[in-house]
């Protein structure tokens, strides 16, 4: 028998189903978001009574919608009530669902253990000194509900959640009809925001006090919310929402349309919103910026944690427990390092948040000595190419004359001619230089062309084609006789334009 | 349990040097990456623990009593029970007037016409104000963002401060100051008159400004932020030796949050450094 036993008050209520106590404070219950890696960033999960803001400034993709669906699916699967504000049934219908055979948390844990066993059982021989080293991990393991993107919510579940009222909606279009109440004198948008708060208040008031619940605010301030929702109205909505759910076993997730956080005052707006909510993450997808995917080949976007839950603990749980953020102080007493760079990736079955690292050779898959060729990803160079191609043709004529005169000296002179004629412009637009070399050079230059020009757009190549037709009468046959060996190479090289090299 | 006392001592003409002298105003500003809640907890803990002052907390942020209860228990100064008169939690509500708010310590921020008004909050605060209390106006920036003008807020603070001075109490205001430059090179973009509220409060003077900011190098587990302290103009009749602590921006104190306390150390002397 231990001499001292911890006295636990007998009156403590069991935590609502689907929640777990915070690692920092046992009386604080956390709600899993459905994404184990996001839970890790929040310090174990989102505390009950708090608001999570998900920002996705990338207008071309819908990362925030994906997080929304994870959030809703996790709630539905654990039997919690769910209210969707401002969105329609389509969002719930598109939710992912648990893998088949999943029965509860225990099984999912045993599955992950099984995976670990497999890795061990592979029987790879590793040098003994590395044997005990763990595998390098960029993300954290899951204690989630095994939600898989390959499964969607079953029809029978959909029917039952709507029948039992587990999933309900607050439709903003209906509000506009009923907004004839003479309660307020401000514009229609303000009316809608107020009406929405009133509806949420009624829902929360009627909800079961012992059952955890989730509120999802879809695209706050978007088109459905009225014509002109001001920043102040959005801030007030969040402030009111917080006061409604603060002492309830309910948490909320808010998404904001991308256009709302665009513009010159974006940074300050995001900052204010991040202060008003409890936790705020920004998912910056790469779809807006084609130069980024080549730089981060294994990531689909970068993630910024603007704020994390600070209530109930002096040292926020995120700073203490988050593996991904990486500022936690280890058992040795020396955390020391700064925070990690974070990104996210959509895999076949799940969405993960992971740390972003440079590749083996400084960020690209293969060894390179220059900066990555991001220009290949951009295709807005057509206007400049035209002027350059014109110069090129001039150079071609000069080179052509020399070819007729003396064949042996063709290569250096022709090359020089092109370079001279392009001198001033070549400096402005260096890209055209290798293209000219390709035209008149020998075998070596051909090879250069292969490596530099193969990725460029079709515009330049078209000019080349036009030029080669000029050649057909004169220099063509000479080349044909003297450089047979190089022809095979050429054909291989320009397989995309066989018409240039028909001999 | 007052972790900031030895580093930021106030003139000790009063009973303790943890709290600002009576009839003065302490402004605490913080940034998103380094929230300054810990400074408020320090003052609250001193007031409730050693000094036995009455505390009136006007919670504009909507933080909630449960959060503070948990933290102060951890620090070692539990909050007085809900029924006690020595800790008053006022939580102004921004809900529209169609929703009924019942409890008496929940004044409305918006009147029947949905226009912002601090009158009710002012009246509620004053109704609790007694001699030698500590009034905390927590989250003035949030007021600014939900629709109050900086002028209105500063008028409200000035009015409360006038009453606080009459009752020999102490006033503490907290707000966010992300717009302030971290160094000569890191100057965050500023929107409109974001700095107006802080300017107005600072011009009010008669106290001290604690500026809490994050490190320009980002989050870290060893150093979570910096504190600097700037005395403001003295009020008439205050002694010359009643000087508030001065810690410059160029050589600030740094701090690290721990589960039960906060470690404060001069710049560059944290763990792992000389």
């Amino acid at each position: 028998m231990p001499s001292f036993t911890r006295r636990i008050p007998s009156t403590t209520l069991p935590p609502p189903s689907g929640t777990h106590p915070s690692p920092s404070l046992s009386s604080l219950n956390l709600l899993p978001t459905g994404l184990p890696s996001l839970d890790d960033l929040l310090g174990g999960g989102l505390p009950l009574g708090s608001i999570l803001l998900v920002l996705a400034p990338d207008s071309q993709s819908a990362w925030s919608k994906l997080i929304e669906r994870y959030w809703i699916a996790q709630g539905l699967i654990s039997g919690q009530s769910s209210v969707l504000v401002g969105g329609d049934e389509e969002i719930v219908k598109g939710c992912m669902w648990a893998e088949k055979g999943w029965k509860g948390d225990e099984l999912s844990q045993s599955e992950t253990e099984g995976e670990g066993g497999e890795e061990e059982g592979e029987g790879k021989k590793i040098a003994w000194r590395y044997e005990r080293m763990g595998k390098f991990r960029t993300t954290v393991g899951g204690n989630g509900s095994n939600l898989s993107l390959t499964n969607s919510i079953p029809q029978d579940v959909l029917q039952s959640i709507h029948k039992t009222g587990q999933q309900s909606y607050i439709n903003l279009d209906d509000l506009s009809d009923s907004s004839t109440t003479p309660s307020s004198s401000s514009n229609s948008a303000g009316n809608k925001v107020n009406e929405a708060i009133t509806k949420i208040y009624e829902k929360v008031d009627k909800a079961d006090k012992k059952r955890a619940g989730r509120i999802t605010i879809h695209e706050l301030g978007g088109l459905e919310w009225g014509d002109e929702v001001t920043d102040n109205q959005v801030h007030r909505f969040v402030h009111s929402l917080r006061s409604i759910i603060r002492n309830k076993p309910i948490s909320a997730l808010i998404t904001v349309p991308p256009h709302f956080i665009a513009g010159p005052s974006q940074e300050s707006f995001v900052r204010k919103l991040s202060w008003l909510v409890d936790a705020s993450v920004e998912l910056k997808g790469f779809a807006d910026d084609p130069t980024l995917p080549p730089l981060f080949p294994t990531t689909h976007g970068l993630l910024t944690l603007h704020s994390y839950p600070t209530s109930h603990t002096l040292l926020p749980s995120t700073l203490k427990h988050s593996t991904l953020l990486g500022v936690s102080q280890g058992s040795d007493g020396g955390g020391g390092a700064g925070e990690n760079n974070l990104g996210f990736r959509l895999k076949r079955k799940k969405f993960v948040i992971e740390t972003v690292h440079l590749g083996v050779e400084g960020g690209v898959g293969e060894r390179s000595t220059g900066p990555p060729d991001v220009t290949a990803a951009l295709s807005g160079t057509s206007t400049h190419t035209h002027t350059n191609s014109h110069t090129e043709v001039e150079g071609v004529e000069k080179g052509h004359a020399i070819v007729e005169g003396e064949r042996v000296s063709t290569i250096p002179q022709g090359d020089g001619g092109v370079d001279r004629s392009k001198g001033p412009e070549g400096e402005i637009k260096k890209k055209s230089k290798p293209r000219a070399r390709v035209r008149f050079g020998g075998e070596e230059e051909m090879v250069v062309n292969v490596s530099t020009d193969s990725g460029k757009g079709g515009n330049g190549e078209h000019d080349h084609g036009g030029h080669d037709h000029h050649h057909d009468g004169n220099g063509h046959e000479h080349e044909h006789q003297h450089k047979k060996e190089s022809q095979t190479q050429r054909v291989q090289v320009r397989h995309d334009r066989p018409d240039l090299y028909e001999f | 349990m007052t972790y900031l006392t030895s580093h930021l001592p106030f003139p000790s003409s009063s009973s303790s040097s943890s709290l600002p002298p009576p009839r003065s105003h302490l402004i605490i500003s913080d940034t998103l990456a380094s929230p300054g809640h810990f400074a408020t907890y320090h003052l609250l803990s001193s007031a409730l623990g050693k000094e036995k002052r009455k505390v009136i907390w006007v919670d504009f942020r909507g933080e909630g009593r449960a959060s503070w209860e948990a933290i102060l228990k951890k620090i070692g100064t539990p909050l007085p029970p809900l029924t006690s008169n020595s800790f008053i939690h006022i939580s102004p509500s921004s809900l529209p007037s169609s929703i009924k708010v019942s409890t008496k310590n929940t004044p409305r921020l918006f009147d029947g016409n949905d226009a912002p008004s601090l009158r009710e909050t002012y009246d509620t605060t004053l109704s609790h104000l007694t001699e030698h209390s500590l009034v905390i106006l927590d989250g003035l920036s949030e007021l600014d963002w939900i629709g109050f003008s900086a002028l209105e807020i500063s008028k409200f603070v000035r009015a409360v401060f006038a009453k606080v001075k009459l009752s020999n109490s102490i006033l503490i205001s907290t707000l966010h100051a992300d717009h302030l430059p971290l160094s000569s090179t890191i100057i965050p973009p500023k929107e409109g008159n974001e700095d107006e509220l802080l300017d107005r409060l600072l011009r009010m003077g008669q106290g001290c400004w604690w500026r809490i900011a994050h490190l320009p190098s980002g989050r870290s587990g060893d150093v979570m932020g910096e504190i600097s302290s700037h005395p403001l103009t003295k009020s008439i009749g205050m002694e010359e030796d009643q000087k508030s602590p001065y810690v410059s921006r160029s050589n600030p104190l740094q701090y690290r949050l721990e589960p039960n306390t906060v470690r404060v150390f001069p710049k560059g002397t944290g763990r792992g450094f000389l």
Side-chain angles (χ1 to χ4, degrees):
Chain A
M1 268 296 280
S3 309
F4 299 100
T5 49
R6 192 181 169 134
R7 193 193 293 169
I8 301 165
S10 55
T11 53
T12 46
L13 291 166
S17 79
T19 64
H20 54 268
S22 160
S24 295
L25 185 73
S26 56
S27 60
L28 180 68
N29 292 313
L30 305 178
L31 208 55
T33 56
L35 288 160
S37 43
L38 183 57
D39 288 345
D40 175 85
L41 268 186
L42 299 175
L46 189 65
L48 288 176
S50 1
I51 303 175
L52 169 66
L53 173 72
V54 178
L55 301 165
D58 166 20
S59 55
Q60 312 294 327
S61 43
W63 296 111
S64 56
K65 203 172 181 180
L66 187 70
I67 308 282
E68 241 173 24
R69 283 180 167 153
Y70 264 109
W71 167 257
I72 295 171
Q74 175 69 36
L76 294 177
I77 222 163
S78 3
Q80 295 156 354
S81 67
S82 163
V83 181
L84 179 61
V85 184
D88 51 7
E89 220 171 291
E90 176 262 331
I91 292 170
V92 178
K93 274 181 184 160
C95 278
M96 61 295 293
W97 205 244
E99 293 254 69
K100 282 206 176 71
W102 182 81
K103 291 271 163 29
D105 285 337
E106 289 170 29
L107 191 64
S108 90
Q109 274 168 14
S110 71
E111 270 177 17
T112 48
E113 276 167 21
E115 279 171 25
E118 252 178 40
E119 278 170 24
E120 284 169 14
E122 278 175 11
K124 274 184 201 158
K125 270 281 181 192
I126 317 172
W128 61 269
R129 72 189 79 170
Y130 301 126
E131 254 174 2
R132 287 191 173 187
M133 266 175 90
K135 201 182 160 194
F136 182 66
R137 286 173 189 279
T138 55
T139 186
V140 290
N143 56 351
S145 297
N146 228 3
L147 292 169
S148 165
L149 291 171
T150 51
N151 294 355
S152 58
I153 186 165
Q155 274 303 321
D156 53 329
V157 176
L158 260 181
Q159 280 169 3
S160 77
I161 57 169
H162 287 127
K163 210 160 72 183
T164 57
Q166 191 190 349
Q167 172 68 48
S168 53
Y169 303 89
I170 293 178
N171 201 334
L172 295 168
D173 291 337
D174 300 347
L175 296 184
S176 62
D177 300 334
S178 63
S179 67
T180 46
T181 47
S183 60
S184 56
S185 59
S186 55
N187 60 354
S188 71
N191 260 343
K192 266 199 178 176
V193 174
N194 276 353
E195 292 268 330
I197 272 291
T198 313
K199 291 268 179 189
I200 293 171
Y201 182 82
E202 284 164 5
K203 283 255 185 211
V204 170
D205 210 33
K206 275 185 248 163
D208 186 356
K209 301 278 185 290
K210 285 175 192 154
R211 187 189 194 192
R214 290 167 194 247
I215 297 176
T216 315
I217 316 287
H218 179 70
E219 303 220 325
L220 174 62
L223 291 176
E224 289 195 359
W225 291 79
D227 290 339
E228 284 179 13
V229 185
T230 61
D231 288 6
N232 285 349
Q233 281 166 343
V234 169
H235 293 148
R236 186 179 161 195
F237 176 86
V238 176
H239 193 265
S240 304
L241 179 65
R242 186 162 160 168
S243 70
I244 290 175
I245 65 172
R246 199 58 174 175
N247 297 314
K248 304 278 188 329
I250 293 172
S251 293
L253 179 136
I254 298 180
T255 63
V256 171
H259 69 82
F260 220 67
I261 46 175
S265 61
Q266 174 211 7
E267 198 173 317
S268 133
F269 181 64
V270 167
R271 221 158 50 196
K272 288 174 183 173
L273 269 184
S274 302
W275 269 119
L276 286 163
V277 299
D278 294 271
S280 150
V281 290
E282 181 175 330
L283 300 141
K284 172 103 185 66
F286 288 159
D288 264 357
D289 189 349
T291 61
L292 286 172
L295 290 173
F296 301 100
T298 59
T299 310
H300 288 144
L302 298 177
L303 184 136
T304 318
L305 184 69
H306 288 296
S307 62
Y308 39 79
T310 55
S311 64
H312 293 84
T313 50
L314 185 61
L315 171 62
S317 204
T318 298
L319 296 180
K320 193 180 177 190
H321 297 288
S322 173
T323 316
L324 282 171
L325 196 67
V327 297
S328 59
Q329 295 155 8
S331 53
D332 56 342
E339 65 179 320
N340 291 325
N341 296 318
L342 297 171
F344 59 88
R345 179 147 60 117
L346 186 64
K347 294 180 170 181
R348 191 172 68 89
K349 283 191 175 177
K350 59 181 178 180
F351 175 91
V352 288
I353 295 166
E354 49 185 21
T355 51
V356 174
H357 301 273
L358 289 180
V360 182
E361 291 289 346
V364 283
E366 57 200 43
R367 189 179 176 81
S368 68
T369 49
D373 186 18
V374 288
T375 49
L378 295 163
S379 53
T381 55
S382 55
T383 50
H384 291 278
T385 321
H386 276 299
T387 55
N388 279 334
S389 67
H390 178 65
T391 337
E392 228 173 281
V393 172
E394 281 176 11
V396 163
E397 299 301 339
K398 283 180 190 167
H400 182 57
I402 297 161
V403 168
E404 280 180 314
E406 179 154 355
R407 208 186 309 135
V408 186
S409 60
T410 299
I411 298 158
Q413 283 193 11
D415 230 352
V418 171
D419 276 344
R420 247 178 282 130
S421 73
K422 287 168 52 55
E425 277 202 60
E427 279 181 16
I428 299 163
K429 190 89 181 175
K430 285 184 177 165
K431 219 190 294 174
S432 53
K433 196 177 172 185
R435 209 188 288 150
R437 269 206 223 144
V438 166
R439 193 118 319 288
F440 303 106
E443 293 89 334
E444 311 91 76
E445 268 99 330
M446 253 351 250
V447 178
V448 171
N449 174 34
V450 174
S451 61
T452 57
D453 211 15
S454 58
K456 302 243 160 67
N459 235 337
E461 283 170 24
H462 198 75
D463 296 327
H464 294 229
H467 164 66
D468 267 359
H469 285 296
H470 285 291
H471 259 292
D472 276 347
N474 320 311
H476 186 270
E477 275 192 5
H478 298 295
E479 283 183 19
H480 182 53
Q481 287 164 1
H482 289 273
K483 296 171 183 171
K484 259 187 182 170
E485 60 271 62
S486 72
Q487 264 187 24
T488 49
Q489 198 186 358
R490 272 186 211 185
V491 173
Q492 279 174 352
V493 164
R494 310 306 304 250
H495 60 87
D496 53 333
R497 293 296 306 273
D499 55 317
L500 301 183
Y501 299 102
E502 276 178 11
F503 302 109
Chain B
M1 187 28 258
T2 48
Y3 38 78
L4 285 175
T5 311
S6 56
H7 300 277
L8 293 167
F10 285 100
S12 53
S13 63
S14 57
S15 52
S16 153
S17 58
S18 317
L19 290 175
R23 300 184 300 282
S24 69
H25 182 195
L26 176 63
I27 301 165
I28 304 174
S29 74
D30 58 1
T31 61
L32 190 55
S34 289
H37 310 319
F38 73 95
T40 321
Y41 303 144
H42 154 78
L43 298 164
L44 184 64
S45 166
S46 317
L48 288 174
K50 231 162 94 190
E51 293 225 349
K52 303 265 181 273
R53 272 177 190 273
K54 178 179 179 176
V55 175
I56 302 164
W57 174 33
V58 188
D59 179 16
F60 291 115
R61 289 189 297 130
E63 174 77 5
R65 188 189 158 99
S67 167
W68 277 31
E69 247 168 26
I71 294 164
L72 284 175
K73 201 170 144 194
K74 200 91 174 169
I75 293 176
T77 325
L79 274 193
L82 205 57
T83 49
S84 162
N85 205 25
S86 58
F87 180 78
I88 309 284
H89 176 210
I90 299 172
S91 54
S93 158
S94 61
L95 293 173
S97 49
S98 51
I99 299 174
K100 286 183 181 60
V101 188
S102 55
T103 49
K104 66 176 168 70
N105 281 339
T106 315
R108 280 188 183 282
L109 292 174
F110 291 86
D111 60 15
N113 293 325
D114 231 23
S117 154
L118 283 161
R119 185 80 221 176
E120 262 189 58
T121 313
Y122 176 75
D123 291 343
T124 315
T125 311
L126 285 202
S127 70
H128 292 289
L129 187 65
T130 53
E131 282 283 301
H132 304 291
S133 7
L134 175 76
V135 181
I136 304 175
L137 303 177
D138 193 10
L140 294 175
S141 297
E142 273 83 350
L143 275 186
D144 188 14
W145 301 336
I146 63 174
F148 288 84
S149 72
L151 180 66
E152 253 171 300
I153 301 167
S154 59
K155 272 182 182 168
F156 165 74
V157 175
R158 193 184 287 273
V160 173
F161 188 38
K163 293 287 176 190
V164 160
K165 282 204 283 189
L166 285 178
S167 62
N168 267 326
S169 303
I170 304 166
L171 179 65
I172 292 167
S173 317
T174 74
L175 72 167
H176 310 307
D178 291 277
H179 59 272
L180 293 175
L182 281 179
S183 67
S184 54
T185 47
I186 304 174
I187 302 167
K190 201 165 61 183
E191 186 218 5
N193 43 10
E194 217 176 347
D195 50 352
E196 194 189 339
L197 178 60
L198 182 64
D199 282 359
R200 282 179 180 277
L201 290 185
L202 291 179
R203 257 183 273 142
M204 216 179 282
Q206 305 180 30
C208 184
W209 173 31
W210 284 358
R211 179 175 167 191
I212 297 163
H214 58 276
L215 297 182
S217 52
R219 286 187 191 117
S220 145
D222 275 343
V223 181
M224 293 179 177
E226 299 179 331
I227 321 166
S228 56
S229 170
H230 311 273
L232 305 174
T233 53
K234 284 194 304 292
S235 62
I236 299 159
M238 213 176 247
E239 302 290 322
E240 187 56 40
D241 60 331
Q242 287 195 331
K243 257 189 165 171
S244 296
Y246 174 63
V247 177
S248 74
R249 259 306 285 167
S250 56
N251 196 17
L253 293 168
Q254 297 184 327
Y255 71 92
R256 177 173 69 243
L257 301 177
E258 290 185 359
N260 304 319
T261 185
V262 179
R263 299 251 174 261
V264 183
F265 40 87
K267 185 178 182 179
T269 60
R271 190 169 53 200
F273 303 96
L274 282 176

